[in-house]
Amino acid sequence: EDLLRRVTYNPAMGNYLDAVNNDRPSGTRVPNENYAREILQLFTIGLDELNANGTKILDASGMPVPTYDQTDIAEFARVFTGYTYANAAGTAATGKQGRYYGAPMVPYPTTTTAGHDPNAKTLLNGVTLPAGQTGKQDIDAAIRNAFLHANTGVFISKQLIHMMGGDIAVAS
């Protein structure tokens, strides 16, 4: 969970996955979904529900059961709004900052059309984040939500085994 939090606030990751200077929804504009998608797909729960032995859970038609859908991505994207690069002086951001990789990202002021989305958000397993929370409160809750998902431990373990050149033996 701590690693996820550090990755989330990392300015290089923010730049790479478009989370830095990501504004709340306004008019037809929606928050960028790149980081929201990757934190679920690559860093925590993966694409498909898994059994404890790492095999995919299948529905009645024999198809894998997805861990999330587009609505989940859109809700998570709203969580990751309102953060910018820190500045070298270490002072609070008064607006969106230019690139600086020497410190974690920081919040910038929220207006009626920019900054962190203050509205309620519904995450995995029906967990609702109340309206009016700060960006940090929403991010901490979203990270906890993904981290505690039943798939996270199995998915991460399976990925580590594959990365280390191992294979998962499945008991019949």
Side-chain angles (χ1 to χ4, degrees):
E1 192 172 359
D2 291 337
L3 181 59
L4 280 174
R5 192 170 290 102
R6 290 183 67 162
V7 166
T8 298
Y9 289 108
N10 182 286
M13 184 63 72
N15 179 53
Y16 183 67
L17 291 176
D18 306 311
V20 71
N21 297 325
N22 188 20
D23 280 321
R24 65 191 278 181
S26 180
T28 59
R29 181 187 68 221
V30 296
N32 189 289
E33 297 176 352
N34 287 348
Y35 188 71
R37 189 175 318 283
E38 300 308 330
I39 197 171
L40 296 178
Q41 181 178 338
L42 297 178
F43 304 158
T44 58
I45 64 175
L47 292 171
D48 301 311
E49 295 279 348
L50 300 172
N51 291 301
N53 66 3
T55 59
K56 293 179 182 180
I57 295 174
L58 305 177
D59 65 16
S61 303
M63 300 300 298
V65 176
T67 53
Y68 62 86
D69 60 21
Q70 181 55 38
T71 301
D72 296 318
I73 294 299
E75 291 291 293
F76 268 82
R78 293 175 47 229
V79 166
F80 301 113
T81 56
Y83 275 76
T84 190
Y85 299 101
N87 60 46
T91 58
T94 57
K96 293 179 182 179
Q97 304 288 320
R99 286 185 188 170
Y100 178 70
Y101 296 112
M105 293 188 300
V106 296
Y108 59 91
T110 298
T111 68
T112 57
T113 60
H116 181 68
D117 182 342
N119 298 314
K121 299 154 192 82
T122 302
L123 305 181
L124 301 170
N125 298 323
V127 171
T128 300
L129 305 183
Q133 293 199 133
T134 65
K136 181 181 182 328
Q137 289 171 318
D138 276 355
I139 288 172
D140 285 348
I143 288 171
R144 177 144 281 250
N145 178 250
F147 180 77
L148 292 178
H149 189 280
N151 233 49
T152 300
V154 178
F155 176 74
I156 297 298
S157 296
K158 186 175 176 180
Q159 297 299 80
L160 288 171
I161 290 167
H162 285 298
M163 295 292 177
M164 293 179 195
D167 196 7
I168 298 176
V170 178
S172 341

